[in-house]
Amino acid sequence: MRWAVIVFPGSNCDEDAALAIDRVLGDAVDLVWHDQRDLSAYDAIILPGGFSYGDYLRSGAIARFAPAVAGVREAVQRGALVLGICNGFQVLTEAGLLPGALLVNDHLQFCCELAELQVENTKTPFTLDYAAGERIRIPIAHRDGRYHADAATLTRLRREQRIAFRYVQNPNGSAQDIAGVLGANGRVLGLMPHPERAVAEWMRSADGARMFTSMHRFVEQQGASLAASAEGVGRLG
Amino acid sequence: MAEVRVKTKAAVPSGQPAPEEIREQRRYLDLGLTDAEYERVCERLGRLPNYVEAGLFGVLWSEHCSYKSSKIHLRKFPTSGPQVLQGPGENAGVVDVGGGLAVAFKMESHNHPSAVEPYQGAATGVGGILRDVFTMGARPIAFLDSLRFGPLTDERTRYLFANVVAGIGGYGNCVGIPTVGGETAFDESYRHNPLVNAMCVGVLEADKMAKGAARGVGNPVFVVGARTGRDGIHGATFASAEDPTEKERSAVQVGDPFLGKLLMEACLELIATGAVVGIQDMGAAGLASSSAEMAARAGGGLELNLDLVPVREEGMTPYEMMLSESQERMLVVMERGREELAFSILRKWGLEVAEIGRVTSDGRLRLRFAGEVVADVPVAALVDEAPVYDRPADTKYAKPGLAVAKPDLPAGDADAWAQHLLALLAHPSIADKRWVYRQYDTSVRTATQVGPGSDAAVLRLPGAARAVALATDGNGRYVYLNPRRGGAIAVAEAARNLVASGARPLAITDCLNFGNPEKPAVMRQFIDAVEGMAEACRALDTPVVSGNVSFYNESQGQDIFPTPVVGAIGVIDDLTRVTEAAFRAADSAVILVGPIDAALDGSLFWQLLAGQPAGDAPPLDLALERRVQDLVRSLIRAGRVRSAHDVSEGGLAVALTEMAIAGGVGATVTLPVTPRDALQRAGLLFSEAQSRILLEVDCASAQDIVQEAGQAGVTALVLGKTGGDAVSIGGDDGVWLTLPLAAAQAAYEGALPQAMQAPSARGEADA
């Protein structure tokens, strides 16, 4: 399968994501510059962590206007997998591809630590390889990570089983301890924790690796890899 | 060479004094030049300098840029060795770490700005040191920060501390480089003069180093990045002024980490093309120092047309453009004919670039503005011929702690001794620093094998089966008590931290934070500390490859503790041998490598009892230090060590408890002594005597290790075993104290969060 990692000028986890895919799966992965709209070659697209355009306004508020995000929107339409990590999650909510918003942490500080998560739904393309009710450890590193949505949205998310992960100990005041949510079609996941930083024991946890193996297995099982021509896609240094 | 006439009068913008006025009204004093220095400038030029020229000399001859008070002493540092690819004098030092890779690193102080505007002061400190490192062509991989503040009971200190930490995180987190280590200590001495020393480490291919030299006559000179504004004019001279309460907030610059990140990516891409001849950050004294220093390194000259400098506002004078310290700007010399390459890369990153001049061969820095030559001075006079002072120093340092009476310590029961230990664990200088480093991204770039909280941070190097270990250290109290030994301890302890993590120390960088060098007592501290450091560097084979000096850390006549901070780097070439400070298992043997010592000299324990630093600096024998480090390193390399921890502030009892808390495993140890009184018992528990490392090893190999240590000329003792849920310490006369792990942990981990929860800690909040 073929992966894209979108690179905004202020992305800083783009190479980590590509490296994790290479470490865990050995799949083909391209770093795709933010001005590229055509993402039709990709089975899965990652919006990585970082500070897309500095995020001096609201995290992700400018990134949603990027050509690549228009491409992501089209990819969602055709059912490709989209994974937004940290800043990528913020971008997806700003773009309206996921419900809710990420507010500044309730303690108003940046917070970086290994967080324990409860896997809430193992029937998604991102969580197939986790066990039901399993607790995993994945690092968080953010200042604007407090998930917020109105009561009706939260109820709908719960009813539709679109809460993918919850924090075991809420680190930022997120509504209902939510760490990651799914889009309406179940093919989009946004989460604040960084699975790409937990793919080897020496990183303190290898639990993130199974998010990538899940996505890989889902795409392979679908059989029909979406038109995977690599032409015209340059790998960025 | 064309004849150039400097039309000083015609070039004087309104409001700027003419050369004669500068002399007659002694306006040069405002520009940072003394009477004698001004005379020297006139003599060297053979005429009176105009305002711009006098300004150039003022900043380049400032203490901050010229190191005029420290230069003759810094020459005592060893700076070379087979591992050194680049010593002091460039933007950062570079050492060979094997496997075709090299590491560039440097530490720099941002004390004065941080005392006035803590968030931006700290943030721009991080941004500045970042640029120094990527300028060498190195991809930055880590930050470390060494911080000193007054007591946290003080509201303003809490405001400074909170905002310095937020500022470091604000910049470092955004540029996506992990902050993996450092230290934070609190003492009354730093109440009005906090220390903020930032270190950056980058990795590069050993044969791909970039340099800050403006070579190749005719090559074009570019300004890249932010526009030049009026911010930070006089930052360098301001840093050399005395009282931070009189310092202006407006002289502090504002950082833009997003632009800093773009600049980093673009410059690394640019350097990789091979078309960059020379590159330098516009740091302190901005365009003035970057252009003069680049020309000086090449032994040539530069001609700049200031009309072409992109500015933020209209009406900026040449003087303001040369001295502006607007952040996120680089000066780049490209190979003539390859400019288009630069433009395309910079365009991609959305960066502004302007060609402002060219390299010349005449050894002069010549500035044009509005059709006039507004400055024309010999580069050598600005840089190489800056004044050098051998400032008077006291002949002998009166060690202030020797007069302190020995404490009168009651015998006390086991509970009282447990309370002593708890008090140390809860002291902010010793207590867990999670409150600090939780605010830093420690794992971005996915190379952090060991983050903050252990003796050294360990980072894997890209594409190589090796890692670098990084640590900072420096105890101002020791240096205050005995500058020479304290200076040596700073180096020894930083290297020891690397060794305890399994690394071979390679080299150091330093920030020498001292008081007012015009005071003979402060100069004595400085000279002795430098000599002590140099001695330790030679003993441990860790040359100094970069660093900086920060003088005038004084307020209301009170100088800070002399505080040289050492940033050390080492290499680990077997990733399976990385060792941490946390106990790994129950039923391991606990071994003390190094002497049993009861000297309370310089200890935090004695300071807390006496209300002031007391005694001499802790004992240190550099030959023994070397043997201890070599032994522990070989034991770790042989895979015989489960965990290791340097015995430092708080002594043996604190070191043991830290290992237990980190590992969640208790320990019971017995020292083979019967103390004659309470004071000696306290010494055995809390002495900060040097050259000591605690090891956790397999019980089966413990006796062999002790024997091997003896053969290596090092004392080693099996003290006891890990296990249980308490730390218990005693001697031949029975158990001295038992502290449940839960209580120890509560004190150790709760201290900083509790101190910072006090009202108005956030004070003036984010800037």
Side-chain angles (χ1 to χ4, degrees), chain A residues 25-135:
Chain A
L25 302 165
D27 282 348
V29 51
D30 292 322
L31 293 168
V32 176
W33 195 232
H34 59 115
D35 62 1
Q36 179 179 329
R37 176 166 180 151
D38 182 4
L39 302 176
S40 58
Y42 299 103
D43 306 295
I45 298 161
I46 293 181
L47 292 156
F51 292 74
S52 44
Y53 293 87
D55 287 350
Y56 294 124
L57 178 57
R58 236 176 21 247
S59 300
I62 295 175
R64 77 184 174 98
F65 297 107
V69 172
V72 168
R73 208 179 290 279
E74 289 158 10
V76 174
Q77 293 292 324
R78 68 178 160 87
L81 297 185
V82 174
L83 175 62
I85 301 168
C86 196
N87 189 230
F89 186 11
Q90 295 160 346
V91 173
L92 289 173
T93 58
E94 285 289 337
L97 289 166
L98 287 174
L102 282 312
L103 309 181
V104 63
N105 296 344
D106 59 358
H107 48 77
L108 305 181
Q109 288 176 345
F110 190 95
C111 177
C112 177
E113 62 189 19
L114 195 56
E116 198 175 4
L117 308 179
Q118 171 107 14
V119 184
E120 296 290 330
N121 181 349
T122 54
K123 306 247 179 326
T124 83
F126 307 92
T127 54
L128 292 174
D129 289 343
Y130 294 111
E134 186 180 351
R135 287 188 172 186

Side-chain angles (χ1 to χ4, degrees), chain B residues 83 85 94-104 138 202-209 461 468 569:
Chain B
Q83 70 272 47
L85 300 178
V94 180
V95 295
D96 192 334
V97 294
L101 295 177
V103 162
V203 64
L204 67 156
E205 288 175 44
D207 56 352
K208 298 258 167 70
M209 199 196 307
L461 293 175
V468 285
I569 79 136

Side-chain angles (χ1 to χ4, degrees), chain B residues 77-78 472-497 505 508-512 514 524-542 544 562-568 616-626 629 646 688-692:
Chain B
F77 283 142
T472 68
D473 225 302
N475 190 318
R477 184 174 66 244
Y478 300 167
V479 186
Y480 170 73
L481 293 171
N482 181 338
R484 189 181 183 97
R485 196 189 297 159
I489 288 174
V491 175
E493 196 162 338
R496 205 183 309 132
N497 285 331
I508 68 163
T509 179
D510 61 53
C511 261
L512 307 177
F514 285 77
R524 184 78 260 156
Q525 291 175 337
F526 183 78
I527 294 167
D528 288 358
V530 165
E531 283 174 358
M533 291 173 73
E535 209 176 349
C537 287
R538 280 190 295 270
L540 302 174
D541 195 16
T542 52
V544 179
T563 312
V565 173
V566 170
D616 204 334
L620 170 73
D621 169 349
L622 281 171
L624 173 65
E625 179 75 45
R626 178 69 193 243
Q629 293 193 13
D646 162 40
E688 295 175 18
Q690 297 296 298
S691 315
R692 305 194 297 167

